[in-house]
Amino acid sequence: MKLLKSKLWLSALFLCALAQAQTDKPLYKSPAFTLYPDRVVQGKNEARVLTRIDILSNYQSPASENFSRLISFKFSINQKDNEAAPGNDHWILIGDEHESPVFTFGGPTTPLPAKAPGFLPVNYEYTFRVDMNPVLTQFKEKGYYETFDGSRVAAADFKGFYIAGGSEPLTWDWVGLEGHGLKLSDPDGDGIFALTVKLNPYDPESAKDKTWRLEKDLSKKPKYTSDQPIVDALFNLSLEEAIKNIEPDSTFRTGAKWGGVWTRDISYSILLAFAYHEPEVAKISLMKKVKRGRIIQDTGSGGAWPVSSDRTTWALAAWEIYKATGDKNWLRQSFDIIKNSLEDDYMVIYDKTTGMYSGESSFLDWREQTYPKWMNNADIFQSQNLGTNAVHFRTHRILAQMAELLGEPFEVYNERADAIKKGINEQLWMPDSGYYAQYLYGRGTLMQSPRFEALGEALCVLFGVADGDQARSIFSNAPITPYGVTCIYPQIPGIPPYHNNGIWPFVQAYWNMAAAQAGNERALNHGLASMYRAGALFLTNYENFVAETGDFEGTEINSDRMLWSMAGNLAMVHRVFMGMQFETKGIKFAPKVPSGYTGKKTLSNFHYRGAVLNIDVMGTGNRIKSITMDGKPLPDAMFPANTTGTHNIRIELDNQPWGSAPVNMVSNHFSLPAPQVTLRNNRLEWPAVDGAMGYMVYENGRLVGIIPNTGFAVTPGVYVEYQISAGDTKLSPSFASEPVAVYGNNRKITIDLEDVAPASVLPYTGFEGKGFVETSNDQNTDIAFKVITDKDGDYLIDVRYSNGSGPWNTDNKCAIRSLYVNDKHAGAMVFPQRGTDEWSDWGWSNRRVVTLKAGPNQLRLKLEPWNTNMNVDVNRAMLDQVRVIKLD
């Protein structure tokens, strides 16, 4: 008996030692951090799974310990970047003082100090001071202030002076300065404005160890267990956070800090997880984003749609709900909504030249975070983005499938999808880089931005825009950084972390799913580690974190309990480890399990239509060795949609390597700033860019040379737009500079619109000619004018306008009109918001290339039903003049 007990004890000891050895073997290891089956270690920070419903973390943000004494900042009128050219900032190196010298607005900027020794203490009070008398004097004498670039701020539009900067609580979120408490004041009226802030804000509570412990009842939810407790615990944490995000009206809130339903957030979240986890809540949430039988574009620069145009993410979610539920009523309802929306999109944002759709980058909707600073909202409207077009492609494919199921005509939607796919692959694929370009951008002509954009690349793989060779190339060549895949790469200099220099877990989730589909095990393993590191250390699903440090502190804004981040976490189990693909005929299983994630994985109590599934996945690999349902082979690894009752599915993988596909692991990198180009005496000139090894010269978007010097001679003649970019040691280009148009005399025609329509009596200033014309839902809805030319050919047309209906960055009052040329529809003219109540702030609309005949041409700006914006009631702008330029 003693011998038997001794053997049993030794056997138990052996099993314990074996289990310990298994948890001590890393799932992923790098110089940045190490992920184990039950914990994650990053330097002195560690998170450990105590049980599958308990995680302990001692994570402390390094932000307050490394807060630089070197502070960059600018002053602002009306929350706009209008003191000096981009990159020309003020700098202060704080010693022991608590007050700045008095700066002069628009005066010389301070050179960047060579060193910033030591770090600033926490909660350090400091007062910034600036002399605003030069601005106030111009307001009084001229009625406006002329900024560094010649634009004017009308005294009547003045709202206040502000400070922006890169050190917390300062922010570069220009339009949010007031909300951040960064308005300056002048209590004694001497023109010296000041603000006292607390730099390096710090809460001692953040230094304490923290624990997540399950509070909600998950008994009715799917249950997941595996030999990787960290995955199981984060699955449970995400299930609980999803429950907490369901509001009393049965909709999902966007995050702990962000109330309400947002179109793209809810849509990407539903596609990842909530179509099958919470289908009824998902339906109610989606219907909150419908108006007039069309999808609402609720966020985006310059007044939402059509500057931002990724509202079609709604269709991805609606289709996934139908596939998960088989609800025919939902199919009919969502089909009509998507169809109406796409018909408007086709008239307003489709570009027949490229086959693609215009509009802002999907989800990357904070202008300077992913676009050069010279681009205004009309420029962004003209741009054509990778991710947004991948969404439009998929939406058209979905609409075609819906139409076919409903017995409706469907061929036209497949034809439009084919055109988008062709456009993406012809216009954006970069063979030398092995992945797609970020977008096309410019003014009169468009050129590639060769930056990498993670979400767009992933969507192109998942949706079938990229073929198999392209998909494999993307994951072998795309740059990934130690803490995860960044939203864009390289980063933009001088822009704080958020989309720029940021990693977003929901983007990482799509990247991981695409890596699994492309068969790149290394990319998937790195991506899983990125998500599990953040979730475990932070004990929540944060919105984003800083690419350089992996820290949730330091991005412009951030929320815990972020809906699409938790959806991404859940999707790693369902979409990757279980390999669940929802189709109209059922669930197709195709698990993808990296070699480190060994053992048995069980997903039980999974409800699908009329069935309850208990699923076991055994082993590793990306190929199924055998699959059974209730002990019998399951044909085509497909669980039929009409099957009811409780069923047990067992999948055995082949335990074979996936292959040896590489990844391109790189350090985080910033491009050089874009050159600031001016035209003087038929010569382009720009200040030297520090670190530039050469300058690329572009004519109408085409590279014509690489030069070492800072000047380039041009000859006026036919219309040419020139741009310059700076190349670093690898000649990796910066953003191209703002286009400079060069053309000969007598090629421009201007039409003052007050000469062809009733002039407004509103008291706005800064217009050209004798006045301007108001256009709205009930005033001047159809403005006709004549353009007389001496030659047939192509002409560039745009409109000088103002729109004070809302701020630069958000709201929903972008004005839209249809342009007709000799009774033919030529496209939309878009007049984005330029600042709340800033009706004397004038700028140019988007540009259209139109064909005119010699002699008189009849043009019209007309409000059509498809020009109805997201606000519906307010579709208003002041129109000053039309500019027409001969191109050839």
Side-chain angles (χ1 to χ4, degrees), residues 516 519 521 589-594 617-627 637 651-660:
E521 183 178 6
F589 288 95
K592 316 288 185 184
V593 181
V617 174
M618 311 294 295
T620 63
N622 65 347
R623 292 180 293 273
I624 293 176
K625 181 179 179 181
S626 67
I627 180 169
I651 304 171
E652 291 191 18
L653 300 178
D654 64 1
N655 291 313
Q656 295 299 310
W658 295 30
S660 56

Side-chain angles (χ1 to χ4, degrees), residues 176-190:
L177 296 178
E178 178 119 25
H180 286 283
L182 298 176
K183 188 173 185 178
L184 304 166
S185 64
D186 177 18
D188 58 8
D190 63 354

Side-chain angles (χ1 to χ4, degrees), residues 490-561:
Q491 314 309 323
I492 306 169
I495 301 298
Y498 185 60
H499 297 139
N500 185 61
N501 196 21
I503 295 171
W504 289 58
F506 100 91
V507 174
Q508 186 73 64
Y510 278 104
W511 180 259
N512 293 355
M513 289 160 53
Q517 183 171 306
N520 193 311
E521 183 178 6
R522 288 187 177 92
L524 174 59
N525 199 40
H526 168 264
L528 290 169
S530 170
M531 295 182 67
Y532 294 145
R533 179 203 73 89
L537 287 175
F538 307 155
L539 299 178
T540 185
N541 287 288
Y542 264 112
E543 182 177 3
N544 50 58
F545 50 89
V546 180
E548 288 177 294
T549 63
D551 187 20
F552 66 88
E553 294 279 5
T555 64
E556 284 286 79
I557 53 175
N558 203 353
S559 177
D560 57 318
R561 221 174 71 217

